[in-house]
Amino acid sequence: MFSMRYYSPAPPLRRLVSSYYVIELGPGRITDVMRAELPNVRFLIRGHSRLTWPDGSVQRGLGAGLFGPRCMPLGMVLDGPALVFGAGIMPDGWLRFFGVDSDEVADNMLPLEDLAGNLARSALCRMQNGTSDADLVAAADAFFLSMARQYAARQDIGFGMLVEDWLVRGSPGGVDQLIGLADRSARQVERLCRRTYGAPPKLLMRKYRALRTAVEISIDPDARWFDVAGEDFYDQSHFIREFRTFMGMTPTQFAANGAAVMSHSIRL
């Protein structure tokens, strides 16, 4: 048995947290690929997991873990019975919740308590004692509302949403347009992108371009590559290479098999 359920955070958090999700797995195992993505907080309430990084190193899943923004895919094994609660962290949320620049944690995972202390331990304990998804959501809301007060005075709140809008719209005009929209120098824009997204703007363009094509494939697995790729890639080889870099598999493999958690999360 496998299910993935989504919930909205409390209204004051909706510019800071993209969504909550609950992954539930019965007896058995899921071997998955986690795509490049925004930062995540994950609570492993039940079960065991292992993560394999591109360099071949393996880490055990943490009870409460913080995943920095990633521009690389990540292998995951989840052994059930398992229950996982996660939250996607928006760029402005990163600035409000944590006291480090996101590029310091990019493509990495660390114990959530390293940055959240007792709040992280309390949230995990509350979730472990919960009896419903509503209990999990309430525990997460309480955690993030408390964290949002830690760094309420941080500057540059709003820059992340500007970049997010530019990326979602397909990065029109390239980095030069982003610089103009931000009304900052090229060096300032790169510094702020690294701080809020963990990567420079040009790499973000490549990452989101690949993610958009994955959405198209998940909607229509039989679509022709040039219909999916549009004008964003030089040729089919360029498209396949970029897709594999950020998704961890070729477009054909993704269309044929997908990844249990990744393909489901892309479609929702």
Side-chain angles (χ1 to χ4, degrees):
M1 184 272 290
F2 169 81
S3 67
M4 193 167 185
R5 305 181 291 275
Y6 282 76
Y7 300 96
S8 295
L13 296 170
R14 289 179 187 170
R15 286 184 56 121
L16 308 177
V17 178
S18 60
S19 65
Y20 296 144
Y21 56 90
V22 177
I23 298 171
E24 189 168 9
L25 174 67
R29 169 176 288 182
I30 283 181
T31 300
D32 197 25
V33 178
M34 298 162 61
R35 70 188 188 278
E37 59 186 354
L38 286 171
N40 266 251
V41 166
R42 292 198 179 102
F43 295 93
L44 182 59
I45 302 166
R46 291 197 299 271
H48 302 277
S49 69
R50 295 194 311 278
L51 305 167
T52 302
W53 300 86
D55 64 2
S57 61
V58 178
Q59 285 181 280
R60 291 184 59 187
L62 300 171
L66 174 64
F67 290 77
R70 291 204 323 279
C71 287
M72 60 175 66
L74 184 63
M76 181 194 74
V77 174
L78 179 64
D79 288 316
L83 183 65
V84 179
F85 184 93
I89 308 301
M90 300 293 285
D92 284 351
W94 184 274
L95 294 178
R96 289 289 298 274
F97 299 143
F98 308 111
V100 299
D101 291 352
S102 63
D103 60 349
E104 295 184 33
V105 194
D107 294 314
N108 200 0
M109 176 188 70
L110 69 159
L112 182 60
E113 63 186 63
D114 283 3
L115 296 179
N118 287 331
L119 289 174
R121 290 187 287 272
S122 296
L124 177 60
C125 182
R126 185 172 171 181
M127 289 185 182
Q128 289 171 333
N129 290 322
T131 59
S132 67
D133 285 3
D135 291 339
L136 304 182
V137 169
D141 280 344
F143 170 76
F144 285 113
L145 287 169
S146 295
M147 289 298 295
R149 292 191 284 269
Q150 304 293 312
Y151 300 97
R154 294 270 296 202
Q155 298 177 351
D156 301 316
I157 296 295
F159 177 82
M161 297 303 294
L162 184 150
V163 177
E164 180 79 8
D165 179 68
W166 173 73
L167 290 167
V168 169
R169 290 188 296 111
S171 312
V175 176
D176 287 341
Q177 186 178 98
L178 175 62
I179 292 169
L181 292 169
D183 194 25
R184 290 173 167 89
S185 69
R187 181 171 294 183
Q188 287 175 317
V189 167
E190 175 155 344
R191 178 180 62 81
L192 288 170
C193 279
R194 289 182 181 276
R195 179 184 179 190
T196 56
Y197 276 88
K202 192 166 290 187
L203 181 57
L204 291 174
M205 286 175 56
R206 293 174 55 206
K207 172 181 171 179
Y208 273 69
R209 181 174 59 191
L211 293 175
R212 284 194 298 271
T213 63
V215 171
E216 295 297 323
I217 293 172
S218 70
I219 293 171
D220 183 5
D222 296 322
R224 297 170 296 184
W225 78 267
F226 46 84
D227 290 331
V228 171
E231 299 179 355
D232 289 332
F233 301 89
Y234 302 127
D235 53 29
Q236 186 176 16
S237 295
H238 180 220
F239 169 53
I240 293 172
R241 186 170 61 252
E242 289 288 279
F243 192 96
R244 178 181 286 180
T245 295
F246 296 100
M247 306 302 293
M249 62 184 71
T250 67
T252 299
Q253 290 170 328
F254 182 77
N257 303 309
V261 176
M262 179 170 68
S263 60
H264 186 84
S265 65
I266 284 174
R267 286 195 297 271
L268 292 177

